Amino acid sequence: LDITADKRAVSERLHKYQDGPELAAGKPNLVPFPPDFQPVPCKPLFFDIALNQIELPSLEDKLEQKPAASGITG
Amino acid sequence: SNASKVQSLYSELNRAGQNGDYQRALNAANKILKESRNDETAFHCKVVCLIQLSQFQHAIKEIANNPALASGLMFEKAYCQYRLNRIQDALNTIQAVGNPSPKLKELKGQVLYRLEQYKECLDVYKDLIKNTSDDYDEERATNLSAVVAALQLWQQEPVADLG
């Protein structure tokens, strides 16, 4: 075991056993705060094109019925 | 008479639909269904209106409750599942269709993207872009490049320049 004192925050030396009296002393250095910035890729644009294809069906045959025919088709 | 009533409701539905007034169109479709319960066209209109009004839960319930009327509405069904975040269900619905229409393929591309199946997704988009020509060519190319970016970024998959 490497027992030399490690000054890094606890979260960065979890793999290492270190009996740290400072942990019990009230001001433990648990995580670096504020955390460093990290670059992340941006979410690419992605379009919902399928929505544009949600359309009413053709109503032509429903509209073209001649009123005269309604007596027999009804 | 019943038939002329239905016909005038259809012309109201048609007018409202063309104006993008889907609430009004929905009301007309509901009235038609009251007159003739098994009118597939009116049912189709009703589902489209509900989707346009973002009532996906309601739309999918209607589809589930009327299997006979909804047999031709697999695209609409899958689209609702997609919007309700039931992405795997949406893919199952799409894959159950024997000869998928172009709009089903379009939706399949979006579903595969959400499922992070980027390789299959890329194939769908290549096919779509080759075989469609409409007002959404640019949006489709944007989606394609999102897929290519995802492949390279998350799956370290080199992709040929599709320029």
mmCIF file of all heavy atoms in Angstrom, chain A residues 41 44-59 62-67 70 73-74, chain B residues 7 10-11 14 17 39 41 44 48 52 75 79 83 103 106 110 113 125 136 139-140 142-143 146 153:
data_model
loop_
_atom_site.group_PDB
_atom_site.id
_atom_site.type_symbol
_atom_site.label_atom_id
_atom_site.label_comp_id
_atom_site.label_asym_id
_atom_site.label_seq_id
_atom_site.Cartn_x
_atom_site.Cartn_y
_atom_site.Cartn_z
ATOM 1 N N PRO A 41 -20.465 16.713 -26.543
ATOM 2 C CA PRO A 41 -20.972 17.005 -27.888
ATOM 3 C C PRO A 41 -22.395 17.549 -27.788
ATOM 4 O O PRO A 41 -23.165 17.128 -26.931
ATOM 5 C CB PRO A 41 -20.945 15.644 -28.585
ATOM 6 C CG PRO A 41 -20.893 14.634 -27.497
ATOM 7 C CD PRO A 41 -20.268 15.290 -26.308
ATOM 8 N N PRO A 44 -27.413 16.792 -31.806
ATOM 9 C CA PRO A 44 -27.629 17.267 -33.174
ATOM 10 C C PRO A 44 -29.105 17.568 -33.443
ATOM 11 O O PRO A 44 -29.991 17.016 -32.793
ATOM 12 C CB PRO A 44 -27.138 16.108 -34.047
ATOM 13 C CG PRO A 44 -26.943 14.948 -33.167
ATOM 14 C CD PRO A 44 -27.024 15.392 -31.739
ATOM 15 N N LEU A 45 -29.341 18.439 -34.385
ATOM 16 C CA LEU A 45 -30.716 18.677 -34.849
ATOM 17 C C LEU A 45 -31.272 17.403 -35.451
ATOM 18 O O LEU A 45 -30.565 16.697 -36.170
ATOM 19 C CB LEU A 45 -30.704 19.733 -35.954
ATOM 20 C CG LEU A 45 -30.794 21.206 -35.583
ATOM 21 C CD1 LEU A 45 -30.826 22.021 -36.863
ATOM 22 C CD2 LEU A 45 -32.035 21.477 -34.759
ATOM 23 N N PHE A 46 -32.510 17.122 -35.148
ATOM 24 C CA PHE A 46 -33.137 15.929 -35.722
ATOM 25 C C PHE A 46 -34.628 16.235 -35.886
ATOM 26 O O PHE A 46 -35.305 16.550 -34.915
ATOM 27 C CB PHE A 46 -32.920 14.719 -34.812
ATOM 28 C CG PHE A 46 -33.252 13.406 -35.454
ATOM 29 C CD1 PHE A 46 -32.328 12.749 -36.250
ATOM 30 C CD2 PHE A 46 -34.502 12.830 -35.267
ATOM 31 C CE1 PHE A 46 -32.634 11.526 -36.839
ATOM 32 C CE2 PHE A 46 -34.821 11.615 -35.859
ATOM 33 C CZ PHE A 46 -33.879 10.962 -36.649
ATOM 34 N N PHE A 47 -35.100 16.172 -37.111
ATOM 35 C CA PHE A 47 -36.477 16.604 -37.381
ATOM 36 C C PHE A 47 -37.471 15.445 -37.346
ATOM 37 O O PHE A 47 -37.155 14.337 -37.793
ATOM 38 C CB PHE A 47 -36.555 17.268 -38.762
ATOM 39 C CG PHE A 47 -35.805 18.564 -38.842
ATOM 40 C CD1 PHE A 47 -34.528 18.612 -39.382
ATOM 41 C CD2 PHE A 47 -36.364 19.726 -38.352
ATOM 42 C CE1 PHE A 47 -33.829 19.801 -39.449
ATOM 43 C CE2 PHE A 47 -35.676 20.928 -38.409
ATOM 44 C CZ PHE A 47 -34.405 20.962 -38.960
ATOM 45 N N ASP A 48 -38.644 15.743 -36.829
ATOM 46 C CA ASP A 48 -39.743 14.770 -36.873
ATOM 47 C C ASP A 48 -40.495 14.969 -38.190
ATOM 48 O O ASP A 48 -41.474 15.704 -38.258
ATOM 49 C CB ASP A 48 -40.666 14.994 -35.670
ATOM 50 C CG ASP A 48 -41.823 14.000 -35.640
ATOM 51 O OD1 ASP A 48 -41.890 13.122 -36.530
ATOM 52 O OD2 ASP A 48 -42.660 14.103 -34.725
ATOM 53 N N ILE A 49 -39.974 14.323 -39.228
ATOM 54 C CA ILE A 49 -40.578 14.501 -40.560
ATOM 55 C C ILE A 49 -41.861 13.684 -40.666
ATOM 56 O O ILE A 49 -42.771 14.028 -41.421
ATOM 57 C CB ILE A 49 -39.576 14.092 -41.657
ATOM 58 C CG1 ILE A 49 -38.271 14.877 -41.489
ATOM 59 C CG2 ILE A 49 -40.144 14.358 -43.051
ATOM 60 C CD1 ILE A 49 -37.150 14.408 -42.378
ATOM 61 N N ALA A 50 -41.945 12.608 -39.904
ATOM 62 C CA ALA A 50 -43.143 11.759 -39.969
ATOM 63 C C ALA A 50 -44.398 12.550 -39.618
ATOM 64 O O ALA A 50 -45.469 12.311 -40.178
ATOM 65 C CB ALA A 50 -42.987 10.555 -39.047
ATOM 66 N N LEU A 51 -44.263 13.518 -38.705
ATOM 67 C CA LEU A 51 -45.449 14.299 -38.316
ATOM 68 C C LEU A 51 -46.056 15.009 -39.522
ATOM 69 O O LEU A 51 -47.273 15.149 -39.612
ATOM 70 C CB LEU A 51 -45.082 15.315 -37.232
ATOM 71 C CG LEU A 51 -46.230 16.238 -36.779
ATOM 72 C CD1 LEU A 51 -47.401 15.450 -36.210
ATOM 73 C CD2 LEU A 51 -45.746 17.246 -35.750
ATOM 74 N N ASN A 52 -45.192 15.445 -40.434
ATOM 75 C CA ASN A 52 -45.711 16.142 -41.619
ATOM 76 C C ASN A 52 -46.531 15.219 -42.505
ATOM 77 O O ASN A 52 -47.215 15.678 -43.418
ATOM 78 C CB ASN A 52 -44.552 16.705 -42.435
ATOM 79 C CG ASN A 52 -43.773 17.736 -41.647
ATOM 80 O OD1 ASN A 52 -44.359 18.617 -41.040
ATOM 81 N ND2 ASN A 52 -42.469 17.602 -41.614
ATOM 82 N N GLN A 53 -46.409 13.936 -42.269
ATOM 83 C CA GLN A 53 -47.112 12.977 -43.126
ATOM 84 C C GLN A 53 -48.354 12.414 -42.449
ATOM 85 O O GLN A 53 -49.005 11.516 -42.974
ATOM 86 C CB GLN A 53 -46.129 11.881 -43.542
ATOM 87 C CG GLN A 53 -45.007 12.497 -44.369
ATOM 88 C CD GLN A 53 -43.881 11.548 -44.677
ATOM 89 O OE1 GLN A 53 -44.045 10.345 -44.646
ATOM 90 N NE2 GLN A 53 -42.722 12.094 -44.982
ATOM 91 N N ILE A 54 -48.656 12.947 -41.279
ATOM 92 C CA ILE A 54 -49.925 12.626 -40.622
ATOM 93 C C ILE A 54 -50.980 13.526 -41.259
ATOM 94 O O ILE A 54 -51.090 14.709 -40.917
ATOM 95 C CB ILE A 54 -49.850 12.886 -39.097
ATOM 96 C CG1 ILE A 54 -48.801 12.020 -38.435
ATOM 97 C CG2 ILE A 54 -51.219 12.712 -38.456
ATOM 98 C CD1 ILE A 54 -49.254 10.645 -38.021
ATOM 99 N N GLU A 55 -51.701 12.997 -42.224
ATOM 100 C CA GLU A 55 -52.639 13.818 -42.994
ATOM 101 C C GLU A 55 -53.999 13.154 -43.043
ATOM 102 O O GLU A 55 -54.114 11.929 -42.956
ATOM 103 C CB GLU A 55 -52.128 13.974 -44.434
ATOM 104 C CG GLU A 55 -50.877 14.807 -44.540
ATOM 105 C CD GLU A 55 -50.255 14.724 -45.934
ATOM 106 O OE1 GLU A 55 -50.413 13.663 -46.588
ATOM 107 O OE2 GLU A 55 -49.635 15.711 -46.349
ATOM 108 N N LEU A 56 -55.011 13.976 -43.258
ATOM 109 C CA LEU A 56 -56.349 13.426 -43.467
ATOM 110 C C LEU A 56 -56.355 12.602 -44.751
ATOM 111 O O LEU A 56 -55.666 12.946 -45.710
ATOM 112 C CB LEU A 56 -57.367 14.572 -43.576
ATOM 113 C CG LEU A 56 -57.589 15.402 -42.315
ATOM 114 C CD1 LEU A 56 -58.523 16.564 -42.619
ATOM 115 C CD2 LEU A 56 -58.166 14.564 -41.193
ATOM 116 N N PRO A 57 -57.116 11.527 -44.770
ATOM 117 C CA PRO A 57 -57.210 10.746 -46.002
ATOM 118 C C PRO A 57 -57.976 11.539 -47.059
ATOM 119 O O PRO A 57 -58.608 12.551 -46.754
ATOM 120 C CB PRO A 57 -57.996 9.509 -45.561
ATOM 121 C CG PRO A 57 -58.798 9.970 -44.393
ATOM 122 C CD PRO A 57 -57.957 11.002 -43.696
ATOM 123 N N SER A 58 -57.904 11.069 -48.281
ATOM 124 C CA SER A 58 -58.661 11.745 -49.340
ATOM 125 C C SER A 58 -60.157 11.593 -49.077
ATOM 126 O O SER A 58 -60.653 10.503 -48.815
ATOM 127 C CB SER A 58 -58.309 11.125 -50.688
ATOM 128 O OG SER A 58 -59.292 11.498 -51.628
ATOM 129 N N LEU A 59 -60.858 12.707 -49.122
ATOM 130 C CA LEU A 59 -62.300 12.677 -48.850
ATOM 131 C C LEU A 59 -63.109 12.809 -50.134
ATOM 132 O O LEU A 59 -64.321 12.992 -50.087
ATOM 133 C CB LEU A 59 -62.664 13.814 -47.883
ATOM 134 C CG LEU A 59 -61.959 13.761 -46.526
ATOM 135 C CD1 LEU A 59 -62.340 14.961 -45.674
ATOM 136 C CD2 LEU A 59 -62.302 12.470 -45.784
ATOM 137 N N LYS A 62 -66.151 10.850 -50.650
ATOM 138 C CA LYS A 62 -67.183 11.167 -49.666
ATOM 139 C C LYS A 62 -67.894 12.468 -50.032
ATOM 140 O O LYS A 62 -69.029 12.694 -49.635
ATOM 141 C CB LYS A 62 -66.550 11.320 -48.283
ATOM 142 C CG LYS A 62 -65.883 10.068 -47.783
ATOM 143 C CD LYS A 62 -66.912 9.023 -47.364
ATOM 144 C CE LYS A 62 -66.238 7.787 -46.808
ATOM 145 N NZ LYS A 62 -67.223 6.750 -46.458
ATOM 146 N N LEU A 63 -67.202 13.317 -50.766
ATOM 147 C CA LEU A 63 -67.775 14.625 -51.087
ATOM 148 C C LEU A 63 -68.500 14.623 -52.421
ATOM 149 O O LEU A 63 -69.410 15.409 -52.637
ATOM 150 C CB LEU A 63 -66.665 15.682 -51.135
ATOM 151 C CG LEU A 63 -65.920 15.922 -49.820
ATOM 152 C CD1 LEU A 63 -64.705 16.808 -50.044
ATOM 153 C CD2 LEU A 63 -66.836 16.527 -48.774
ATOM 154 N N GLU A 64 -68.092 13.734 -53.317
ATOM 155 C CA GLU A 64 -68.599 13.835 -54.676
ATOM 156 C C GLU A 64 -69.967 13.221 -54.892
ATOM 157 O O GLU A 64 -70.560 13.402 -55.954
ATOM 158 C CB GLU A 64 -67.600 13.205 -55.658
ATOM 159 C CG GLU A 64 -66.594 14.235 -56.131
ATOM 160 C CD GLU A 64 -65.693 13.709 -57.234
ATOM 161 O OE1 GLU A 64 -65.863 12.530 -57.613
ATOM 162 O OE2 GLU A 64 -64.840 14.463 -57.698
ATOM 163 N N GLN A 65 -70.440 12.504 -53.878
ATOM 164 C CA GLN A 65 -71.773 11.924 -54.018
ATOM 165 C C GLN A 65 -72.782 12.990 -54.393
ATOM 166 O O GLN A 65 -72.852 14.040 -53.771
ATOM 167 C CB GLN A 65 -72.205 11.300 -52.685
ATOM 168 C CG GLN A 65 -71.548 9.974 -52.402
ATOM 169 C CD GLN A 65 -71.836 9.499 -50.974
ATOM 170 O OE1 GLN A 65 -72.558 10.169 -50.236
ATOM 171 N NE2 GLN A 65 -71.275 8.380 -50.605
ATOM 172 N N LYS A 66 -73.532 12.718 -55.423
ATOM 173 C CA LYS A 66 -74.581 13.654 -55.838
ATOM 174 C C LYS A 66 -75.729 13.563 -54.840
ATOM 175 O O LYS A 66 -76.102 12.471 -54.415
ATOM 176 C CB LYS A 66 -75.074 13.283 -57.233
ATOM 177 C CG LYS A 66 -73.972 13.297 -58.277
ATOM 178 C CD LYS A 66 -74.147 14.430 -59.244
ATOM 179 C CE LYS A 66 -72.867 14.840 -59.918
ATOM 180 N NZ LYS A 66 -71.998 13.771 -60.351
ATOM 181 N N PRO A 67 -76.284 14.690 -54.451
ATOM 182 C CA PRO A 67 -77.400 14.668 -53.505
ATOM 183 C C PRO A 67 -78.525 13.750 -53.982
ATOM 184 O O PRO A 67 -79.172 13.100 -53.169
ATOM 185 C CB PRO A 67 -77.869 16.122 -53.480
ATOM 186 C CG PRO A 67 -76.697 16.917 -53.953
ATOM 187 C CD PRO A 67 -75.906 16.040 -54.865
ATOM 188 N N SER A 70 -78.373 10.207 -52.775
ATOM 189 C CA SER A 70 -78.366 9.927 -51.345
ATOM 190 C C SER A 70 -79.529 9.017 -50.928
ATOM 191 O O SER A 70 -79.414 8.282 -49.967
ATOM 192 C CB SER A 70 -78.392 11.229 -50.553
ATOM 193 O OG SER A 70 -79.598 11.910 -50.827
ATOM 194 N N THR A 73 -78.219 5.364 -51.579
ATOM 195 C CA THR A 73 -77.029 4.917 -50.857
ATOM 196 C C THR A 73 -77.272 4.905 -49.353
ATOM 197 O O THR A 73 -76.610 4.170 -48.635
ATOM 198 C CB THR A 73 -75.822 5.834 -51.153
ATOM 199 O OG1 THR A 73 -76.220 7.178 -50.914
ATOM 200 C CG2 THR A 73 -75.342 5.669 -52.569
ATOM 201 N N GLY A 74 -78.154 5.763 -48.878
ATOM 202 C CA GLY A 74 -78.379 5.830 -47.431
ATOM 203 C C GLY A 74 -78.962 4.537 -46.945
ATOM 204 O O GLY A 74 -78.612 4.047 -45.899
ATOM 205 N N GLN B 7 -72.938 13.584 -45.601
ATOM 206 C CA GLN B 7 -72.188 14.259 -46.659
ATOM 207 C C GLN B 7 -71.875 15.704 -46.301
ATOM 208 O O GLN B 7 -70.766 16.195 -46.563
ATOM 209 C CB GLN B 7 -72.983 14.194 -47.965
ATOM 210 C CG GLN B 7 -72.087 14.441 -49.161
ATOM 211 C CD GLN B 7 -72.899 14.583 -50.422
ATOM 212 O OE1 GLN B 7 -74.004 14.053 -50.526
ATOM 213 N NE2 GLN B 7 -72.359 15.300 -51.390
ATOM 214 N N TYR B 10 -69.139 15.758 -43.924
ATOM 215 C CA TYR B 10 -67.848 15.531 -44.584
ATOM 216 C C TYR B 10 -67.320 16.809 -45.213
ATOM 217 O O TYR B 10 -66.118 17.077 -45.193
ATOM 218 C CB TYR B 10 -67.954 14.429 -45.645
ATOM 219 C CG TYR B 10 -67.467 13.093 -45.134
ATOM 220 C CD1 TYR B 10 -68.314 12.004 -45.050
ATOM 221 C CD2 TYR B 10 -66.145 12.928 -44.736
ATOM 222 C CE1 TYR B 10 -67.868 10.776 -44.575
ATOM 223 C CE2 TYR B 10 -65.681 11.713 -44.258
ATOM 224 C CZ TYR B 10 -66.550 10.638 -44.181
ATOM 225 O OH TYR B 10 -66.093 9.431 -43.701
ATOM 226 N N SER B 11 -68.224 17.616 -45.791
ATOM 227 C CA SER B 11 -67.691 18.835 -46.400
ATOM 228 C C SER B 11 -67.230 19.810 -45.311
ATOM 229 O O SER B 11 -66.259 20.534 -45.499
ATOM 230 C CB SER B 11 -68.706 19.462 -47.372
ATOM 231 O OG SER B 11 -69.839 19.878 -46.678
ATOM 232 N N ASN B 14 -63.850 18.435 -44.294
ATOM 233 C CA ASN B 14 -62.867 18.743 -45.325
ATOM 234 C C ASN B 14 -62.406 20.195 -45.227
ATOM 235 O O ASN B 14 -61.205 20.485 -45.271
ATOM 236 C CB ASN B 14 -63.507 18.477 -46.698
ATOM 237 C CG ASN B 14 -62.488 18.555 -47.808
ATOM 238 O OD1 ASN B 14 -61.379 18.039 -47.673
ATOM 239 N ND2 ASN B 14 -62.857 19.218 -48.894
ATOM 240 N N GLY B 17 -60.323 20.704 -42.125
ATOM 241 C CA GLY B 17 -59.015 20.079 -42.294
ATOM 242 C C GLY B 17 -58.095 20.927 -43.146
ATOM 243 O O GLY B 17 -56.921 21.105 -42.837
ATOM 244 N N ASP B 39 -67.750 3.828 -40.270
ATOM 245 C CA ASP B 39 -67.156 4.618 -41.349
ATOM 246 C C ASP B 39 -65.646 4.712 -41.141
ATOM 247 O O ASP B 39 -65.157 5.464 -40.291
ATOM 248 C CB ASP B 39 -67.789 6.016 -41.352
ATOM 249 C CG ASP B 39 -67.404 6.789 -42.601
ATOM 250 O OD1 ASP B 39 -66.250 6.665 -43.032
ATOM 251 O OD2 ASP B 39 -68.277 7.501 -43.130
ATOM 252 N N THR B 41 -63.289 5.911 -43.048
ATOM 253 C CA THR B 41 -62.682 7.198 -43.393
ATOM 254 C C THR B 41 -62.833 8.191 -42.245
ATOM 255 O O THR B 41 -61.875 8.884 -41.880
ATOM 256 C CB THR B 41 -63.324 7.771 -44.666
ATOM 257 O OG1 THR B 41 -63.260 6.780 -45.692
ATOM 258 C CG2 THR B 41 -62.607 9.009 -45.132
ATOM 259 N N HIS B 44 -60.484 7.272 -39.524
ATOM 260 C CA HIS B 44 -59.131 7.691 -39.888
ATOM 261 C C HIS B 44 -58.957 9.197 -39.616
ATOM 262 O O HIS B 44 -57.975 9.631 -39.001
ATOM 263 C CB HIS B 44 -58.884 7.363 -41.368
ATOM 264 C CG HIS B 44 -57.476 7.595 -41.831
ATOM 265 N ND1 HIS B 44 -57.012 7.189 -43.062
ATOM 266 C CD2 HIS B 44 -56.431 8.211 -41.224
ATOM 267 C CE1 HIS B 44 -55.733 7.542 -43.183
ATOM 268 N NE2 HIS B 44 -55.362 8.159 -42.099
ATOM 269 N N VAL B 48 -56.320 11.125 -37.046
ATOM 270 C CA VAL B 48 -55.398 12.162 -37.529
ATOM 271 C C VAL B 48 -55.605 13.456 -36.745
ATOM 272 O O VAL B 48 -54.641 14.104 -36.312
ATOM 273 C CB VAL B 48 -55.593 12.390 -39.046
ATOM 274 C CG1 VAL B 48 -54.902 13.677 -39.506
ATOM 275 C CG2 VAL B 48 -55.061 11.198 -39.833
ATOM 276 N N GLN B 52 -52.946 15.473 -34.486
ATOM 277 C CA GLN B 52 -52.631 16.877 -34.749
ATOM 278 C C GLN B 52 -52.885 17.744 -33.518
ATOM 279 O O GLN B 52 -52.258 18.786 -33.356
ATOM 280 C CB GLN B 52 -53.449 17.388 -35.936
ATOM 281 C CG GLN B 52 -53.050 16.782 -37.276
ATOM 282 C CD GLN B 52 -51.704 17.276 -37.791
ATOM 283 O OE1 GLN B 52 -51.095 18.157 -37.202
ATOM 284 N NE2 GLN B 52 -51.235 16.692 -38.885
ATOM 285 N N PHE B 75 -49.435 3.214 -39.439
ATOM 286 C CA PHE B 75 -48.536 4.378 -39.362
ATOM 287 C C PHE B 75 -48.943 5.290 -38.203
ATOM 288 O O PHE B 75 -48.107 5.682 -37.382
ATOM 289 C CB PHE B 75 -48.578 5.142 -40.690
ATOM 290 C CG PHE B 75 -47.881 6.472 -40.672
ATOM 291 C CD1 PHE B 75 -46.525 6.561 -40.422
ATOM 292 C CD2 PHE B 75 -48.592 7.637 -40.913
ATOM 293 C CE1 PHE B 75 -45.879 7.790 -40.403
ATOM 294 C CE2 PHE B 75 -47.958 8.869 -40.898
ATOM 295 C CZ PHE B 75 -46.607 8.957 -40.639
ATOM 296 N N TYR B 79 -46.893 5.998 -34.851
ATOM 297 C CA TYR B 79 -46.504 7.374 -34.553
ATOM 298 C C TYR B 79 -46.896 7.753 -33.123
ATOM 299 O O TYR B 79 -46.122 8.396 -32.417
ATOM 300 C CB TYR B 79 -47.123 8.362 -35.552
ATOM 301 C CG TYR B 79 -46.620 9.759 -35.315
ATOM 302 C CD1 TYR B 79 -45.351 10.124 -35.742
ATOM 303 C CD2 TYR B 79 -47.368 10.683 -34.604
ATOM 304 C CE1 TYR B 79 -44.845 11.379 -35.473
ATOM 305 C CE2 TYR B 79 -46.872 11.947 -34.322
ATOM 306 C CZ TYR B 79 -45.612 12.298 -34.765
ATOM 307 O OH TYR B 79 -45.104 13.537 -34.481
ATOM 308 N N ARG B 83 -44.440 8.945 -30.071
ATOM 309 C CA ARG B 83 -44.572 10.188 -29.309
ATOM 310 C C ARG B 83 -44.828 9.926 -27.825
ATOM 311 O O ARG B 83 -44.594 10.798 -26.991
ATOM 312 C CB ARG B 83 -45.675 11.059 -29.902
ATOM 313 C CG ARG B 83 -45.330 11.648 -31.264
ATOM 314 C CD ARG B 83 -44.150 12.611 -31.206
ATOM 315 N NE ARG B 83 -44.418 13.761 -30.393
ATOM 316 C CZ ARG B 83 -44.902 14.916 -30.864
ATOM 317 N NH1 ARG B 83 -45.124 15.051 -32.157
ATOM 318 N NH2 ARG B 83 -45.125 15.915 -30.069
ATOM 319 N N LYS B 103 -44.060 6.610 -45.784
ATOM 320 C CA LYS B 103 -44.144 7.336 -44.507
ATOM 321 C C LYS B 103 -43.835 6.419 -43.320
ATOM 322 O O LYS B 103 -43.292 6.863 -42.316
ATOM 323 C CB LYS B 103 -45.489 8.046 -44.337
ATOM 324 C CG LYS B 103 -46.701 7.216 -44.538
ATOM 325 C CD LYS B 103 -47.943 8.113 -44.506
ATOM 326 C CE LYS B 103 -49.217 7.294 -44.590
ATOM 327 N NZ LYS B 103 -50.413 8.129 -44.539
ATOM 328 N N GLU B 106 -40.179 6.359 -43.140
ATOM 329 C CA GLU B 106 -39.717 7.620 -42.540
ATOM 330 C C GLU B 106 -39.739 7.508 -41.017
ATOM 331 O O GLU B 106 -38.781 7.862 -40.327
ATOM 332 C CB GLU B 106 -40.664 8.740 -42.982
ATOM 333 C CG GLU B 106 -40.221 10.107 -42.558
ATOM 334 C CD GLU B 106 -39.410 10.769 -43.659
ATOM 335 O OE1 GLU B 106 -39.977 10.980 -44.736
ATOM 336 O OE2 GLU B 106 -38.234 11.031 -43.437
ATOM 337 N N GLN B 110 -36.752 7.347 -37.776
ATOM 338 C CA GLN B 110 -36.746 8.114 -36.526
ATOM 339 C C GLN B 110 -36.753 7.194 -35.312
ATOM 340 O O GLN B 110 -36.105 7.471 -34.297
ATOM 341 C CB GLN B 110 -37.954 9.056 -36.496
ATOM 342 C CG GLN B 110 -37.867 10.127 -37.571
ATOM 343 C CD GLN B 110 -39.102 11.012 -37.674
ATOM 344 O OE1 GLN B 110 -39.378 11.540 -38.735
ATOM 345 N NE2 GLN B 110 -39.846 11.174 -36.585
ATOM 346 N N TYR B 113 -33.358 5.686 -34.793
ATOM 347 C CA TYR B 113 -32.462 6.695 -34.226
ATOM 348 C C TYR B 113 -32.639 6.772 -32.712
ATOM 349 O O TYR B 113 -31.675 6.785 -31.958
ATOM 350 C CB TYR B 113 -32.744 8.053 -34.875
ATOM 351 C CG TYR B 113 -31.839 9.169 -34.402
ATOM 352 C CD1 TYR B 113 -30.520 9.254 -34.843
ATOM 353 C CD2 TYR B 113 -32.302 10.147 -33.529
ATOM 354 C CE1 TYR B 113 -29.690 10.279 -34.420
ATOM 355 C CE2 TYR B 113 -31.481 11.178 -33.097
ATOM 356 C CZ TYR B 113 -30.176 11.241 -33.547
ATOM 357 O OH TYR B 113 -29.356 12.260 -33.118
ATOM 358 N N TYR B 125 -32.190 5.731 -43.912
ATOM 359 C CA TYR B 125 -32.098 7.096 -44.442
ATOM 360 C C TYR B 125 -31.507 7.137 -45.842
ATOM 361 O O TYR B 125 -31.942 7.932 -46.680
ATOM 362 C CB TYR B 125 -31.326 8.005 -43.485
ATOM 363 C CG TYR B 125 -32.271 8.625 -42.478
ATOM 364 C CD1 TYR B 125 -32.352 8.155 -41.189
ATOM 365 C CD2 TYR B 125 -33.148 9.632 -42.867
ATOM 366 C CE1 TYR B 125 -33.260 8.685 -40.283
ATOM 367 C CE2 TYR B 125 -34.061 10.168 -41.983
ATOM 368 C CZ TYR B 125 -34.111 9.681 -40.691
ATOM 369 O OH TYR B 125 -35.029 10.196 -39.814
ATOM 370 N N TYR B 136 -39.207 18.015 -47.829
ATOM 371 C CA TYR B 136 -38.424 17.806 -46.610
ATOM 372 C C TYR B 136 -37.043 17.225 -46.876
ATOM 373 O O TYR B 136 -36.434 16.632 -45.991
ATOM 374 C CB TYR B 136 -39.209 16.910 -45.637
ATOM 375 C CG TYR B 136 -40.599 17.445 -45.413
ATOM 376 C CD1 TYR B 136 -41.710 16.758 -45.870
ATOM 377 C CD2 TYR B 136 -40.791 18.674 -44.782
ATOM 378 C CE1 TYR B 136 -42.987 17.275 -45.698
ATOM 379 C CE2 TYR B 136 -42.048 19.203 -44.614
ATOM 380 C CZ TYR B 136 -43.150 18.498 -45.071
ATOM 381 O OH TYR B 136 -44.396 19.024 -44.915
ATOM 382 N N GLU B 139 -34.431 18.602 -44.425
ATOM 383 C CA GLU B 139 -34.582 18.072 -43.076
ATOM 384 C C GLU B 139 -34.086 16.627 -43.018
ATOM 385 O O GLU B 139 -33.452 16.204 -42.051
ATOM 386 C CB GLU B 139 -36.048 18.119 -42.635
ATOM 387 C CG GLU B 139 -36.536 19.493 -42.232
ATOM 388 C CD GLU B 139 -36.993 20.327 -43.420
ATOM 389 O OE1 GLU B 139 -36.751 19.925 -44.577
ATOM 390 O OE2 GLU B 139 -37.600 21.388 -43.180
ATOM 391 N N ARG B 140 -34.388 15.902 -44.081
ATOM 392 C CA ARG B 140 -33.983 14.497 -44.121
ATOM 393 C C ARG B 140 -32.462 14.393 -44.161
ATOM 394 O O ARG B 140 -31.864 13.548 -43.493
ATOM 395 C CB ARG B 140 -34.619 13.833 -45.340
ATOM 396 C CG ARG B 140 -34.910 12.363 -45.144
ATOM 397 C CD ARG B 140 -35.776 11.812 -46.264
ATOM 398 N NE ARG B 140 -37.188 12.039 -46.032
ATOM 399 C CZ ARG B 140 -37.971 12.764 -46.809
ATOM 400 N NH1 ARG B 140 -37.492 13.360 -47.886
ATOM 401 N NH2 ARG B 140 -39.245 12.913 -46.523
ATOM 402 N N THR B 142 -30.447 16.526 -42.905
ATOM 403 C CA THR B 142 -30.008 16.884 -41.550
ATOM 404 C C THR B 142 -30.080 15.673 -40.632
ATOM 405 O O THR B 142 -29.157 15.400 -39.861
ATOM 406 C CB THR B 142 -30.900 18.010 -40.989
ATOM 407 O OG1 THR B 142 -30.872 19.102 -41.896
ATOM 408 C CG2 THR B 142 -30.413 18.462 -39.632
ATOM 409 N N ASN B 143 -31.183 14.943 -40.734
ATOM 410 C CA ASN B 143 -31.322 13.740 -39.918
ATOM 411 C C ASN B 143 -30.235 12.725 -40.259
ATOM 412 O O ASN B 143 -29.653 12.114 -39.363
ATOM 413 C CB ASN B 143 -32.706 13.114 -40.125
ATOM 414 C CG ASN B 143 -33.807 13.911 -39.440
ATOM 415 O OD1 ASN B 143 -33.552 14.973 -38.901
ATOM 416 N ND2 ASN B 143 -35.011 13.397 -39.470
ATOM 417 N N ALA B 146 -27.122 13.593 -38.593
ATOM 418 C CA ALA B 146 -27.162 13.284 -37.160
ATOM 419 C C ALA B 146 -26.842 11.808 -36.938
ATOM 420 O O ALA B 146 -26.150 11.448 -35.985
ATOM 421 C CB ALA B 146 -28.537 13.625 -36.585
ATOM 422 N N LEU B 153 -19.417 8.992 -33.377
ATOM 423 C CA LEU B 153 -19.140 9.445 -32.021
ATOM 424 C C LEU B 153 -19.314 8.335 -30.996
ATOM 425 O O LEU B 153 -18.490 8.140 -30.124
ATOM 426 C CB LEU B 153 -20.084 10.598 -31.702
ATOM 427 C CG LEU B 153 -19.716 11.512 -30.557
ATOM 428 C CD1 LEU B 153 -18.298 12.034 -30.739
ATOM 429 C CD2 LEU B 153 -20.692 12.676 -30.514
#
